[in-house]
Amino acid sequence: MISHLTLKDFAVVSAAELAFGPGMTVVSGETGAGKSLLVDALMWLTGARADAGIVRFGAERAELAAEFRLDDAPAALAWLRENELDDGDGCQLRRVIRADGGSRAWINGRPATLGQLSELGQRLVEIHGQHEHQALLDRGQQLALLDAFGQHGARLGEVQRLAQQWAALDRELADLARAGDVGERVAWLQHQVEELAAESLDLADLEELQAAHRRQANAAGLLQGCESALARLAGDDGLSLGRALHQVGAELGRLSGDEPRLAEVVSLIESAGIQLAEAGAGLERIRDDFDLDPARLAQLEDRLSRLHELARKHRVPLDGLAARRDALQAELEGLAGATERGERLARELAAAARAWQAAAAALTRDREAAGQRLGDSVAALMSELGMGGGVFSVRLEPLDNPRPSPQGAERCEFLVSANPGQPPRALRKVASGGELARISLAIEVAALGLDAVPTMVFDEVDTGIGGAVAEVVGQKLRALGAERQVLCVTHLPQVAAQGHHHFQVSKAVAGDSTHSAVVPLDDKARIEELARMLGGVEITKEVRANARQMLTRAQQA
């Protein structure tokens, strides 16, 4: 639950620091004083988009901070730990909104995104605004509310999982059907694979083929070059290189006695002579290996021509033919069992549909039972909320869609009759705004204890009611406060008297600026505030006595 809320330069509030306790806390004040600012602050602290208009005029930024105790919020604590933002058993949210519209947020002192604030806020605070009950008119929201009331999370999760499984199988089978008769494709693939498989397409083989072709194509030139080099080494036109080196070495050897350093030079010349002899022998071996074979050259050129033609045909480079062969082979293997695969998918699809139908039927039975309980509970509460003899029921209608739906096999419609003797009709067609507000409250009370969110905020949901009905609304909110922390902004004294705690918002003008202040009220101050809410221009002692009696009766009850 929320324990502290701090505001600075927020709208007309220059500074405020509020402490909250368990139970029901009411916030009251004159019209225009800014009662709903506390609700707005919680909305911005839990992820609402920044609005520069909330920054107090003349200030650079608005600062908001809230502290929460998490002993009653295990889901929020688990989320914090999962996101590595936990800090003991408490949580602090802080947000700064600048006058230029920019904003920053922190969770437990660490920078956070608006998405993170929103995810965490959903686990900490549930806000019911003045028009929040309009969501009851949406049939999707009605079904979600019924499932929440009946605690159908596990059943619904299984239905959703099976519907997704069925949809995946259906898509796979449809893709297979769109391929049509695969016989021609299989035959074409077989021909292409056989054509490519007839060639050695590994990269090493292709490189060896190209090297062999180059040797054969240039064999005459290579042979001539080797012969020319051997002739020059042998000295056909004069002294051979080997003999010349030998003579130079001998002459320097005779001089090395006078200059010892020449011995190293002589050694190098002798090594060069040895290497020159080895080079000559290698050239002779290479020359002798050359085979001027026109037939072999033609054979190599024919094979290279076939490979280049295949590469052009498949629109890949020469070294990409092996990958193309493997891809075609994989497709062929996939299509070879297309008929068997289609039959298998059809069997799996039928099994998935049967499994979904069984899970959906179980969910339908749970929904029917929960709908009966919800209808009885809400109808009883409607009577207490000024709609005596009213009827509330839940109608489940089978879906026309034959495909398994993630939401189950039916849609939901809330039916209501606010007047005795009138047949129930769709809530979206017959309920007035005031009736919607009271029905919304009745549903919240009916679902008492089922909502895991620890703090519930009601922003003037009592609009349009008064008298004894207002007192009952206050009692129901107080009952909620026994199970959850409840914050209620109200203009009705009958509701305000029911609070365990009471804050008053007041507005004052000083010079050319307006200030709002939020202060907690003790019993004496509460009587004055209730008297103000009850009375007119002049608050008489009779009005104060009525306020005192109202507060005493509410607190004793």
Side-chain angles (χ1 to χ4, degrees):
M1 72 175 191
I2 185 171
S3 58
H4 288 86
L5 178 65
T6 304
L7 314 176
K8 182 179 179 183
D9 292 327
F10 178 63
V12 292
V13 178
S14 55
E17 185 169 349
L18 309 175
F20 296 91
M24 175 183 173
T25 297
V26 296
V27 180
S28 66
E30 295 181 356
T31 301
K35 297 189 296 296
S36 294
L37 285 178
L38 301 184
V39 179
D40 295 338
L42 288 174
M43 289 176 59
W44 270 295
L45 279 168
T46 53
R49 290 199 170 275
D51 181 358
I54 69 168
V55 180
R56 181 175 172 79
F57 180 74
E60 295 182 357
R61 61 184 179 270
E63 298 184 27
L64 312 173
E67 293 182 15
F68 292 84
R69 286 168 40 193
L70 301 180
D71 51 340
D72 58 354
L77 184 57
W79 185 93
L80 286 166
R81 289 172 176 165
E82 181 181 344
N83 289 270
E84 299 181 348
L85 292 169
D86 55 309
D87 184 13
D89 295 329
C91 173
Q92 183 184 72
L93 305 182
R94 180 169 175 256
R95 191 164 181 193
V96 172
I97 301 173
R98 299 191 304 272
D100 62 6
S103 75
R104 295 182 64 190
W106 295 264
I107 297 176
N108 284 332
R110 299 165 208 169
T113 65
L114 287 189
Q116 289 176 315
L117 276 186
S118 179
E119 288 181 21
L120 178 58
Q122 292 172 10
R123 294 163 171 80
L124 290 172
V125 179
E126 184 177 285
I127 298 177
H128 297 263
Q130 296 180 43
H131 305 290
E132 191 77 16
H133 47 263
Q134 295 293 332
L136 282 176
L137 301 182
D138 181 75
R139 299 184 71 175
Q141 291 292 332
Q142 293 176 0
L143 185 61
L145 190 150
L146 176 64
D147 285 333
F149 175 81
Q151 297 179 293
H152 300 152
R155 288 265 196 219
L156 182 60
E158 180 66 7
V159 167
Q160 291 172 339
R161 184 188 68 80
L162 291 171
Q164 292 167 357
Q165 178 183 340
W166 183 92
L169 290 168
D170 185 59
R171 285 193 300 271
E172 192 174 351
L173 189 59
D175 291 341
L176 192 62
R178 278 195 293 271
D181 184 6
V182 298
E184 292 184 5
R185 179 68 176 175
V186 168
W188 182 84
L189 286 170
Q190 285 176 333
H191 173 73
Q192 303 304 316
V193 169
E194 290 171 0
E195 189 176 46
L196 289 169
E199 303 290 342
S200 181
L201 301 177
D202 292 342
L203 184 59
D205 293 338
L206 291 177
E207 291 176 347
E208 174 58 30
L209 172 63
Q210 291 170 325
H213 178 263
R214 284 194 301 272
R215 286 194 300 270
Q216 279 295 328
N218 298 305
L222 290 169
L223 181 61
Q224 182 181 355
C226 289
E227 290 285 4
S228 175
L230 285 170
R232 295 176 67 183
L233 289 173
D236 289 353
D237 297 330
L239 186 66
S240 71
L241 294 178
R243 183 174 297 177
L245 280 174
H246 178 71
Q247 290 179 355
V248 171
E251 292 175 359
L252 291 176
R254 287 192 296 271
L255 297 174
S256 63
D258 298 326
E259 176 51 71
R261 289 180 296 176
L262 289 175
E264 182 179 353
V265 176
V266 172
S267 177
L268 291 173
I269 291 174
E270 290 175 352
S271 297
I274 295 172
Q275 291 178 354
L276 192 63
E278 291 178 353
L283 273 173
E284 288 178 351
R285 288 194 300 272
I286 293 172
R287 178 198 61 187
D288 295 341
D289 285 343
F290 281 129
D291 182 15
L292 295 177
D293 187 351
R296 172 63 174 162
L297 177 61
Q299 182 183 22
L300 292 172
E301 287 181 339
D302 181 61
R303 186 180 172 201
L304 271 176
S305 178
R306 289 199 311 272
L307 291 174
H308 282 293
E309 180 61 29
L310 285 172
R312 284 192 296 272
K313 176 180 178 181
H314 292 280
R315 298 181 180 180
V316 295
L318 201 63
D319 57 4
L321 283 172
R324 176 63 174 164
R325 175 200 60 202
D326 295 343
L328 292 174
Q329 180 66 41
E331 184 182 356
L332 178 61
E333 291 173 357
L335 290 179
T339 301
E340 295 80 359
R341 182 163 159 247
E343 293 173 352
R344 175 181 58 79
L345 284 174
R347 291 193 299 271
E348 292 179 358
L349 188 69
R354 290 192 297 271
W356 177 87
Q357 289 167 356
L363 178 59
T364 298
R365 292 191 293 271
D366 287 353
R367 283 172 170 171
E368 289 172 345
Q372 184 63 47
R373 295 196 308 274
L374 180 62
D376 293 344
S377 298
V378 173
L381 289 164
M382 285 170 59
S383 179
E384 297 182 52
L385 296 175
M387 291 179 282
V391 175
F392 184 91
S393 62
V394 179
R395 181 173 66 196
L396 298 177
E397 302 172 348
L399 293 175
D400 298 330
N401 187 1
R403 298 171 60 87
S405 167
Q407 299 307 315
E410 58 276 324
R411 56 177 175 264
C412 174
E413 181 84 80
F414 285 175
L415 305 178
V416 64
S417 171
N419 301 305
Q422 296 294 323
R425 297 177 58 197
L427 178 65
R428 54 195 165 90
K429 295 182 179 179
V430 300
S432 66
E435 289 171 338
L436 274 176
R438 281 176 277 173
I439 292 171
S440 174
L441 180 60
I443 292 173
E444 289 294 340
V445 175
L448 182 62
L450 299 177
D451 199 331
V453 178
T455 299
M456 304 177 69
V457 181
F458 294 89
D459 184 14
E460 297 195 24
V461 295
D462 50 16
T463 299
I465 61 176
V469 174
E471 185 172 357
V472 174
V473 168
Q475 292 170 352
K476 298 307 177 185
L477 289 170
R478 186 180 177 92
L480 278 175
E483 297 290 334
R484 295 286 185 268
Q485 184 186 42
V486 172
L487 305 182
C488 178
V489 177
T490 182
H491 64 282
L492 296 178
Q494 297 93 331
V495 174
Q498 296 291 333
H500 298 93
H501 318 282
H502 195 153
F503 285 100
Q504 181 192 45
V505 181
S506 60
K507 183 171 65 174
V509 178
D512 57 353
S513 62
T514 302
H515 298 266
S516 284
V518 186
V519 295
L521 303 180
D522 57 18
D523 287 345
K524 182 177 179 181
R526 287 189 73 178
I527 292 172
E528 288 298 316
E529 174 64 4
L530 292 175
R532 181 197 64 78
M533 299 170 77
L534 282 167
V537 176
E538 181 181 357
I539 300 177
T540 66
K541 62 180 181 180
E542 288 78 12
V543 173
R544 286 191 177 90
N546 189 11
R548 184 180 296 106
Q549 183 183 21
M550 179 181 291
L551 181 61
T552 301
R553 186 172 64 249
Q555 300 304 310
Q556 288 177 345

